[in-house]
Amino acid sequence: MRVVKELWEYREMIVSLVKRDLKSRYKGSVLGFLWMFLNPLLQLAVYTVVFSTIMKMGIEKFYLFLFVALVPWLFFSTCLSAGTTVIFSQQDMVKKIYFPREALPLAFTISQFVNMLLSFVVIFIVVICSGVHIRPNALCYLPFVMLAEFILALGITFLVSACNVYFRDLEYILGIISMAWMYLTPILYPMDMVPQQYADIFYMNPMTSITIAYRDILYYGRAPQMNTLLQALLLGMAILVVGQMTFGKLQKKFAEEL
């Protein structure tokens, strides 16, 4: 509660960091903020060509099946891999002035979350054009799924940003882990393809429940199962607690390590 209170007192600083990150991300590029929409669309095009034409999956409207899971994954994977640079990118601030260090991973996660929300504009356009009928009661669950993923991503960002200060190779290791994690999450394939004896192991992956929930709402047009939502939320909260506690212990010597 002390950390939450302190972050609230520094809320203007956090908002400023989020705005600066969003403005500087595509600064100098010709297309600017359009890359927020083009990046997932280009990845969608590549995966669709590969898995619908060359390695046929036999899934109806595979482009939509993939897209509704790919955009949330891009948000999570960015927090996992790029989250390692959060402290380094602001090391002058960390060394010279006092502020709650938790503000840095929080601001980074919020900026990535805003980026995902903007990409969801494209998702809804694709869903409407594809003719999928989404029930209003199913759509009501979408904010809860997003909240569960945000909590998970924030916990991961706390964890990797703190650990990378002490172990610099983590940034490169996580690039490989992120790639493996994606293929161990039912993004490119349905959960039905996973052998039954490995299903429980797959559900230990917090992104599995989140991906299934997104797909239930935006691809199948139905409300996600409550146990799926609850599992995603509980796993996310557990990782957030671990990540914040780890960050709290390691931040004491940030200035020395930097």
Side-chain angles (χ1 to χ4, degrees):
M1 292 303 299
R2 179 191 60 81
V3 174
V4 173
K5 182 180 178 181
E6 199 169 18
L7 286 173
W8 176 252
E9 292 173 352
Y10 282 82
R11 60 189 179 278
E12 293 183 4
M13 174 186 175
I14 295 172
V15 172
S16 177
L17 288 171
V18 171
K19 289 181 179 179
R20 187 176 68 176
D21 183 65
L22 291 172
K23 290 179 180 179
S24 64
R25 181 173 302 161
Y26 303 108
K27 186 178 180 180
S29 65
V30 176
L31 297 178
F33 274 96
L34 284 176
W35 280 112
M36 289 187 178
F37 308 105
L38 288 175
N39 187 39
L41 281 174
L42 291 173
Q43 291 202 38
L44 171 66
V46 172
Y47 284 121
T48 300
V49 169
V50 172
F51 289 97
S52 294
T53 306
I54 302 173
M55 301 171 62
K56 295 183 178 181
M57 296 292 293
I59 298 174
E60 184 181 0
K61 296 179 181 177
F62 181 74
Y63 63 92
L64 182 61
F65 177 89
L66 174 61
F67 199 36
V68 299
L70 181 62
V71 169
W73 170 258
L74 290 176
F75 162 58
F76 175 76
S77 64
T78 301
C79 291
L80 176 65
S81 54
T84 55
T85 64
V86 167
I87 305 300
F88 282 108
S89 63
Q90 305 291 343
Q91 57 180 299
D92 290 338
M93 289 177 57
V94 173
K95 291 178 180 179
K96 295 178 181 178
I97 63 175
Y98 173 78
F99 63 95
R101 304 302 189 241
E102 289 86 355
L104 296 178
L106 177 60
F108 175 81
T109 307
I110 292 174
S111 69
Q112 299 304 321
F113 186 70
V114 171
N115 186 54
M116 185 186 77
L117 291 180
L118 293 174
S119 298
F120 259 80
V121 174
V122 182
I123 287 183
F124 283 118
I125 292 173
V126 174
V127 168
I128 293 171
C129 292
S130 66
V132 172
H133 175 67
I134 303 177
R135 299 174 184 174
N137 67 320
L139 204 58
C140 291
Y141 286 93
L142 189 59
F144 296 101
V145 181
M146 289 180 170
L147 176 62
E149 186 179 15
F150 177 82
I151 291 173
L152 170 65
L154 179 58
I156 288 291
T157 306
F158 273 133
L159 189 61
V160 300
S161 62
C163 291
N164 194 57
V165 174
Y166 295 86
F167 183 55
R168 309 293 173 88
D169 291 340
L170 184 63
E171 179 181 353
Y172 308 103
I173 295 172
L174 286 175
I176 301 172
I177 291 176
S178 178
M179 180 180 65
W181 199 331
M182 177 179 177
Y183 287 105
L184 292 173
T185 304
I187 297 171
L188 303 172
Y189 53 86
M191 192 62 191
D192 296 341
M193 291 183 64
V194 178
Q196 189 61 39
Q197 62 267 32
Y198 300 121
D200 291 340
I201 298 175
F202 269 71
Y203 276 110
M204 292 174 64
N205 170 8
M207 280 304 294
T208 294
S209 298
I210 290 173
T211 300
I212 291 173
Y214 275 119
R215 193 166 279 149
D216 280 340
I217 297 170
L218 299 169
Y219 179 74
Y220 296 107
R222 65 193 183 199
Q225 295 182 3
M226 289 305 299
N227 63 332
T228 301
L229 271 179
L230 185 60
Q231 185 174 19
L233 186 59
L234 290 177
L235 285 172
M237 291 178 67
I239 292 176
L240 176 60
V241 170
V242 172
Q244 197 282 323
M245 289 178 65
T246 303
F247 189 94
K249 290 184 178 181
L250 296 181
Q251 68 168 320
K252 298 174 182 178
K253 295 186 178 181
F254 278 175
E256 298 176 16
E257 294 295 328
L258 293 172

